[in-house]
Amino acid sequence: MIVPEIWLVPMPGRKWRVAAAYAIQTVAAGLVTIEAGFVCDLNSMPRMAWWVSTPTDYPEAGAVHDFLYHTQVPQAVADAVYLEILIAS
């Protein structure tokens, strides 16, 4: 899998807005398309874990995971897609 780069714009409160439509083909969920304007928080994690990875590392994985949760895809599918994108990144 090739992970295309996502275009994000920072917003107040550690939120990010998808600036242009983003699409990625996954094994676990097929084609996932996020429309421009979707707001997400990328990779939510406690600040004390930032020494391992920051919330803005692997933004594609975080944005797709947030989008799948927003569209009420089962958690197991959203988590599988997240892991799939992390591995490919």
Side-chain angles (χ1 to χ4, degrees), residues 11-86:
M11 297 179 62
R14 294 191 196 151
K15 299 285 184 186
W16 297 84
R17 181 175 50 82
V18 176
Y22 180 79
I24 186 166
Q25 183 68 43
T26 68
V27 173
L31 180 65
V32 177
T33 303
I34 304 173
E35 296 298 324
F38 178 72
V39 176
C40 59
D41 65 0
L42 300 182
N43 301 296
S44 305
M45 60 184 65
R47 185 179 277 283
M48 62 189 243
W50 289 9
W51 67 275
V52 176
S53 179
T54 67
T56 56
D57 291 343
Y58 311 105
E60 296 81 9
V64 171
H65 189 260
D66 286 354
F67 176 75
L68 292 174
Y69 259 57
H70 175 76
T71 58
Q72 300 181 345
V73 168
Q75 180 179 352
V77 174
D79 293 349
V81 169
Y82 183 74
L83 181 59
E84 186 179 337
I85 296 172
L86 284 178

